[in-house]
Amino acid sequence: MPVADIIEEKFKSHPEARYSRDGSSITVQSKEAHGFPVSYSFNDGRHAVSYLGWHEEFEDQDEALDCFAFGLSKKCRLQVWKKGHFPYKWVVEVKDSEGNWKEDSRTGLLLFPYWKGTTITSLQNDLMK
């Protein structure tokens, strides 16, 4: 069964979930204003998961599905760094057993308007338990 079919089947039990599918990719929109979209795509034998500007590729389907589900849970937080209104860095954080947030991964752009003021916004989903 294609991965997008597996994900779509899972969301049939979550009627509150808003998602869109385009061939071998699927994107789940956040149900909260402070959330972020989580996407999964499969191309040329590679699985890719993205949270806004953050992304990671996987060879293993199960690892990619775990990352996808993680982004939809309260154990994941995405920090979006902006210069002015321009997003340039995305930091994925995980909540540890003591309730503290720890950086897990980051992605950023090389070119951005460095002279503008910096703002950091925390985004979090709460769709998967």
Side-chain angles (χ1 to χ4, degrees):
M1 178 183 289
V3 178
D5 289 346
I6 294 169
I7 294 169
E8 193 169 25
E9 187 65 33
K10 176 76 173 170
F11 282 106
K12 287 183 179 176
S13 63
H14 292 276
E16 73 280 11
R18 297 177 321 178
Y19 64 90
S20 58
R21 183 172 176 184
D22 181 20
S24 63
S25 68
I26 190 163
T27 299
V28 178
Q29 299 298 325
S30 174
K31 65 179 185 171
E32 307 290 335
H34 62 276
F36 56 92
V38 178
S39 298
Y40 186 108
S41 63
F42 178 75
N43 293 309
D44 299 325
R46 305 285 300 175
H47 305 266
V49 176
S50 62
Y51 313 154
L52 286 176
W54 179 91
H55 58 280
E56 189 162 339
E57 288 191 1
F58 301 87
E59 291 183 18
D60 183 73
Q61 175 179 307
D62 291 336
E63 286 181 29
L65 286 171
D66 286 347
C67 181
F68 181 82
F70 172 67
L72 296 171
S73 75
K74 285 192 78 136
K75 292 183 178 183
C76 175
R77 182 167 77 174
L78 181 66
Q79 300 281 336
V80 180
W81 294 54
K82 294 181 180 179
K83 287 289 190 176
H85 296 289
F86 189 86
Y88 72 97
K89 183 177 6 176
W90 300 265
V91 178
V92 174
E93 296 180 324
V94 61
K95 189 178 263 189
D96 68 17
S97 60
E98 297 171 1
N100 300 311
W101 291 104
K102 304 288 184 192
E103 182 176 325
D104 181 66
S105 177
R106 69 173 53 208
T107 299
L109 301 176
L110 294 175
L111 300 174
F112 54 89
Y114 62 88
W115 59 89
K116 294 191 175 193
T118 303
T119 58
I120 304 169
T121 305
S122 296
L123 303 174
Q124 187 176 23
N125 291 317
D126 185 18
L127 189 60
M128 302 294 287
K129 303 299 178 210

